[in-house]
């Protein structure tokens, strides 16, 4: 992913009010992010842990989506699967994130949801840059997994924009 400025990121959000975007906390060590290893920028808000953000570079520019989740108290003995990167995790390390739809639908309370890595670090998992405690069944290489992630992420973005 090409690096983005803080202003580019804040301007990209399609499902948030100006006040919500202004209150958003950027990722820790923003200036040190490994942009070359990211397929999208995803992070949890340090000041509001149940909030997260996905920023995707697309053909038409950059699209930012605010998501929210609830803290899970689920047992760690079960496994869960991220719908974006297909990485298996302990169930407590996968979260159901809901995104308010853009425009009128979102203002009416409509949302879309997806199970995603709780730390939103899908790009790092598919490249083996972040370790997972659960045995993986995926045998495809990082390039194939990155293509699949991009397809699933675009589908999610389209559902938010619809």
């Amino acid at each position: 992913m090409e690096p983005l400025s803080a202003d580019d990121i804040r301007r990209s959000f399609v499902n948030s009010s100006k006040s919500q975007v202004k209150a958003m906390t950027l990722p820790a060590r923003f200036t040190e992010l490994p942009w070359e290893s990211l397929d999208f920028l995803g992070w949890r808000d340090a000041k509001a842990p149940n909030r997260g953000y996905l920023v995707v570079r697309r053909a038409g520019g950059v699209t930012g989506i605010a998501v929210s989740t609830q803290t899970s108290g689920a047992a760690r003995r079960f496994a869960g699967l991220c719908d974006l990167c297909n990485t298996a995790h302990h169930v407590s390390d996968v979260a159901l994130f809901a995104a308010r739809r853009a425009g009128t639908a979102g203002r009416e309370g409509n949302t879309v949801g997806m199970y995603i890595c709780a730390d939103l670090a899908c790009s790092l998992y598919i490249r083996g840059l972040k370790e997972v405690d659960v045995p993986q069944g995926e045998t495809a290489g990082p390039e194939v997994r990155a293509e699949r992630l991009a397809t699933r992420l675009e589908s999610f973005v389209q559902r938010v924009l619809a």
Side-chain angles (χ1 to χ4, degrees), residues 79-93:
L81 189 67
C82 173
D83 289 334
L84 282 180
C85 66
N86 271 4
T87 299
H89 293 278
H90 291 290
V91 72
S92 57
D93 294 332

Side-chain angles (χ1 to χ4, degrees), residues 14-151:
V14 296
N15 66 340
S16 302
S17 68
K18 288 179 183 179
S19 62
Q20 289 169 327
V21 171
K22 185 176 180 182
M24 172 182 70
T25 302
L26 290 173
R29 296 193 212 135
F30 177 71
T31 58
E32 301 170 22
L33 289 173
W35 292 100
E36 68 283 351
S37 298
L38 299 178
D39 300 283
F40 68 95
L41 177 59
W43 77 98
R44 300 283 289 263
D45 194 317
K47 292 182 182 175
N50 287 347
R51 276 190 264 169
Y53 307 98
L54 306 174
V55 178
V56 183
R57 191 175 287 281
R58 304 171 62 229
V62 179
T63 302
I65 297 174
V67 294
S68 62
T69 189
Q70 296 299 315
T71 305
S72 172
R76 295 186 61 86
R77 62 183 176 178
F78 299 106
L81 189 67
C82 173
D83 289 334
L84 282 180
C85 66
N86 271 4
T87 299
H89 293 278
H90 291 290
V91 72
S92 57
D93 294 332
V94 176
L96 175 61
F97 284 94
R100 190 176 67 172
R101 289 187 170 222
T104 304
R107 288 188 293 276
E108 292 174 354
N110 294 317
T111 61
V112 295
M114 182 176 269
Y115 285 95
I116 306 174
C117 298
D119 60 2
L120 302 172
C122 299
S123 297
L124 302 180
Y125 291 119
I126 65 173
R127 287 175 173 76
L129 299 174
K130 196 163 186 182
E131 295 209 16
V132 186
D133 295 334
V134 174
Q136 301 297 303
E138 179 68 70
T139 58
E143 298 81 21
V144 172
R145 293 186 73 195
E147 288 175 24
R148 292 178 187 166
L149 177 118
T151 300

